[in-house]
Amino acid sequence: MKRQNARTLALIMSILTYLVVGAAVFETLESKQEKSHKRKLDARKYELMRKYNLTKENFEELEHVVLQLNPHKAGLQWKFAGSFYFAITVITTIGYGHAAPSTDSGKVFCMFYALLGIPLTLVMFQSLGERINTFVRYLLHQAKKCLGMRHTEVSMANMVTVGFFSCMSTLCVGAVAFSHSEGWSFLNAFYYCFITLTTIGFGDYVALQKNEALQNDPQYVAFCFVYILTGLTVIGAFLNLVVLRFLTMNTEDERRDAKEKALLSVSKPRGEVAHLLPVSISASSTPVADNTTKAKDFKGVYTEVLQFQTICSCLWYRSEEKEQDSIPNMIPQEMTFSDAYLQQNNDCAHYMEPGSTGCVCSPRQCTSISPISGLHIFSPFRMFKRRSSV
Amino acid sequence: MKKQNVRTLSLILCMFSYLLVGAAVFDALESESESSRRRILEQKRNEMKKKYRFSEDDYREIERVVLQAEPHRAGRQWKFAGSFYFAITVITTIGYGHAAPGTDAGKIFCMFYAVLGIPLTLVMFQSLGERMNTFVRYLLHKLKQCLGFRRTEVSMENMVLVGFLSCIGTLCVGAAAFSHFEGWTFFHSYYYCFITLTTIGFGDFVALQKKEDLQEKTPYVAFSFMYILVGLTVIGAFLNLVVLRFLTMNTEDERRDAQERPNHTICLSHTLEYEVF
C-alpha cells in the first residue's frame, strides 16, 4: 500500500483508539462524582422548594430567569471591551461561550467574521512563531559562542527544550496572575491558562467576569488580552517548530511519487538521455564518474540540466525547453529542497563536494534523509527559472 | 527589511485591525439588545424575589443550585457516551464546555490528554484531508476525461471550488439533520454546525443535550460523532488545500535566504544561474 495511505489509516486508528481510551478514563474519573453531585443538588433543590412552597412550574420559571441572567452578572458583555474579548475568542477559535451572539444578525456576522479571521489568525501566529524561533535560534547560537562551546550550531533538541520551557513558563506566569486576580486556586488558574492557550476554551473558567472587570479595570483587561495573544504566539511557535512538518508529510510524499513517476516517463522524445534516467531511480549508487563523462559527450545546457536532474534527485526543476511535454501537470513547477541540503549545521558531509559532481548532495543522502525529516519546501509563488549560461 | 519580517509585521497589524473592527461591529449589533434583555430579566427576578420572599442568602443558594444543576439537566454527561463526546471536544479543541471535569484529577488528566491528543488530531485531519484532496483530484481528472475535455488537468481553481462546495454541503446537511433532531431552526442549526466545525465551540448550542439522548438514542449519538469527525475532515481538507501553504511561507523564505548565502551557491553557479521572480 502506498506510504501515505498506510500513514493515514494508522493515524485514523490511533485517533479512534485515543478517543476510546480517553472516554473510559474520563468516565472513571468523573462519573461517580457526577452522580453524587446531582443527588446533592436535587436534595438541596427540593429543600428550597419546600421552604418557599414552590411548585415545579415556579421553580422552572426561576431556573429560566437565573440561567438567562447569569452571563449578565459578569457585567456588560457587549460593550467595546467585551466585544473585543469576544472577537478574540472567535478568531483564535477559543470560543468560551461566556457571551455568544443572541441576535440573528450577530450570529450571521460572527460566521463571516470567523470565516476570514480564523485563517488570518492561523497564518499570523505561524508567521510570528517562525520569527520567534529564528530569533531564539540566533540567541542560542550567540550564547553558545559566548560560552566558548565547541559546537556552536543550534540543534533541534536545543530548540525543542527552549520551546517547551517557554510554554511551561507562560502557563505558570498566567496561572499565578489569574489565581491572584480571579481568586482561583493555582491548579484551576493553570487549567484555565492551558485550556485557553490550546484554544479548547470550555468556558468553565473565564477571566474578566468578576466585579465588572471589563468596564472598571482597563489594565487588567489589557493584561488579559496581551496574555492570551502572546501565549498563543508562544504555543504557536512551539507548534511551528515541532508539529508543522508533520502536517505536510502526505503532500511531500505525493510530490516525491509524482517526481519519480515523471522521471520514469520522460523517456520518449529524449532518447539521448534515456540511459541517464535509471541513475536517479536507483538512488543508492553515486555514479559520479559516469555522469561527468557523459556530460562531456553532450553539448548544450539542456543536457546539463538533465544531468543535474538525474544526478541529484534533491534538485528538480523545469527548464523552458522541456515545457511541452510528458511530465504530467501534476508535478508542481516548483523547486524542492531537501532539508538536509539547507541545514548548515548537521552531519552534512555530503554537501561539501560541489566541485566533483556539480551537485549539492549525493542522491543516496537525499532520498534517505527525506523520509526521515523530510521537509520539502515548496514555493508556489515563485518559480525558479533557469537562465542559460551558455 | 527582510521579507519575512515585513510579512509578519503586516499580519500582526492586520489581525489587530481585524479585532478592532470586529469588536466595533459586535458592540453595535449586540449591546443594545443585551441591555434591554438584562433589564427585563432583572425586573423579573425582582418580581419573583418579592413574590416568594426569598432571603438574600437563600436566593444566592438557589442561583448556585440552578447553575450547578444545569449540566445535569441534559442527562448523565460522564457515562461512556458522554465521556467520548467530551474527549472529542478536547482533542479537536472544539471545547463546548457543556461538560467540564469537576474533579482535580479529571482536570489534570484532561490537560495531559490534550497535550498528546491535539497534535495527533491535527496531523490526522491534515493527513486524511490530503488523501481526500488527492482522490477528488483523481475523480475530477477522470471526469474531465469522460466528458471529453481537451485539457484534462485539474486546476487549483477546480479544487478550490469543489472544496468550497463540499464545505457548504457539509454544513447544510448538518443543519438539516440537527434542526430535525434537536428542534432548532435551520438557521440556528447551521450556526451550530459552523461554530462546531470551525472548532470555536461556544456551547450556546450543543447537540445531544436533550433529555437522556446520550444514553438512549444511540444511532443519533453515533451520527453526531460521525458528523463532527467527518465534517472536521472536510474542513481540514479545504484548509490543507488553501491555507497550509501559507503556514510555511516564512520558513521557506528563511531557507531560500540561507541557500542564497555565498558558501551555498558554489555548486549552483557551477553550471546554472537562477532567477527568482
Side-chain angles (χ1 to χ4, degrees), chain B:
Chain B
M1 199 194 266
K2 252 169 98 164
K3 181 194 286 241
Q4 300 89 301
N5 294 332
V6 173
R7 176 187 294 137
T8 304
L9 279 171
S10 0
L11 283 170
I12 294 177
L13 285 175
C14 273
M15 208 193 81
F16 272 114
S17 329
Y18 199 71
L19 282 173
L20 288 172
V21 168
V25 178
F26 280 121
D27 186 344
L29 291 174
E30 295 280 330
S31 222
E32 238 185 81
S33 144
E34 176 186 33
S35 307
S36 65
R37 248 176 326 123
R38 182 188 196 170
R39 234 188 330 217
I40 295 174
L41 286 167
E42 282 183 338
Q43 221 175 0
K44 217 157 172 223
R45 178 190 64 184
N46 295 335
E47 274 176 32
M48 294 185 106
K49 271 169 121 174
K50 230 184 301 177
K51 177 176 175 188
Y52 299 111
R53 269 168 289 195
F54 295 127
S55 66
E56 267 314 305
D57 284 338
D58 276 344
Y59 183 73
R60 246 189 298 268
E61 177 78 3
I62 290 176
E63 270 186 336
R64 183 191 71 87
V65 167
V66 166
L67 288 171
Q68 293 194 8
E70 201 205 350
H72 296 287
R73 291 203 314 168
R76 292 292 294 276
Q77 299 290 351
W78 291 104
K79 279 215 143 346
F80 192 80
S83 289
F84 196 90
Y85 196 23
F86 177 75
I88 290 180
T89 68
V90 172
I91 64 175
T92 54
T93 76
I94 293 175
Y96 292 125
H98 67 292
T103 62
D104 280 355
K107 289 180 173 123
I108 294 173
F109 176 71
C110 181
M111 290 193 271
F112 282 108
Y113 191 69
V115 163
L116 183 53
I118 292 172
L120 182 65
T121 308
L122 281 174
V123 174
M124 194 279 278
F125 278 126
Q126 285 305 301
S127 191
L128 189 51
E130 185 279 337
R131 288 286 83 202
M132 275 179 56
N133 285 338
T134 307
F135 182 61
V136 165
R137 201 174 270 127
Y138 168 78
L139 286 181
L140 279 182
H141 182 63
K142 286 283 174 247
L143 186 69
K144 282 191 164 186
Q145 276 180 341
C146 276
L147 293 176
F149 276 49
R150 238 179 341 118
R151 316 176 92 238
T152 59
E153 316 87 32
V154 181
S155 70
M156 183 66 167
E157 291 84 34
N158 296 146
M159 289 299 294
V160 170
L161 185 65
V162 171
F164 180 73
L165 290 175
S166 319
C167 290
I168 300 286
T170 306
L171 289 172
C172 290
V173 163
F178 289 113
S179 74
H180 174 251
F181 287 115
E182 297 282 337
W184 298 328
T185 65
F186 183 85
F187 174 67
H188 286 161
S189 271
Y190 188 92
Y191 170 76
Y192 163 73
C193 293
F194 184 94
I195 295 297
T196 300
L197 297 187
T198 48
T199 77
I200 297 176
F202 287 131
D204 50 352
F205 293 90
V206 184
L208 300 173
Q209 299 291 288
K210 296 237 302 262
K211 216 61 174 86
E212 300 292 337
D213 273 358
L214 274 168
Q215 310 308 322
E216 289 168 5
K217 288 191 180 165
T218 318
Y220 175 47
V221 170
F223 165 77
S224 297
F225 295 168
M226 281 301 299
Y227 177 77
I228 292 177
L229 296 172
V230 170
L232 285 170
T233 307
V234 172
I235 305 289
F238 190 63
L239 286 179
N240 182 286
L241 189 68
V242 174
V243 178
L244 192 60
R245 65 196 61 219
F246 293 103
L247 301 189
T248 47
M249 275 192 308
N250 270 9
T251 317
E252 292 167 37
D253 284 349
E254 272 299 298
R255 295 186 190 231
R256 194 174 41 83
D257 291 349
Q259 171 219 341
E260 280 170 5
R261 265 176 242 138
N263 53 334
H264 287 272
T265 54
I266 291 175
C267 101
L268 288 177
S269 55
H270 173 71
T271 47
L272 305 161
E273 291 167 49
Y274 290 86
E275 228 174 63
V276 177
F277 53 85

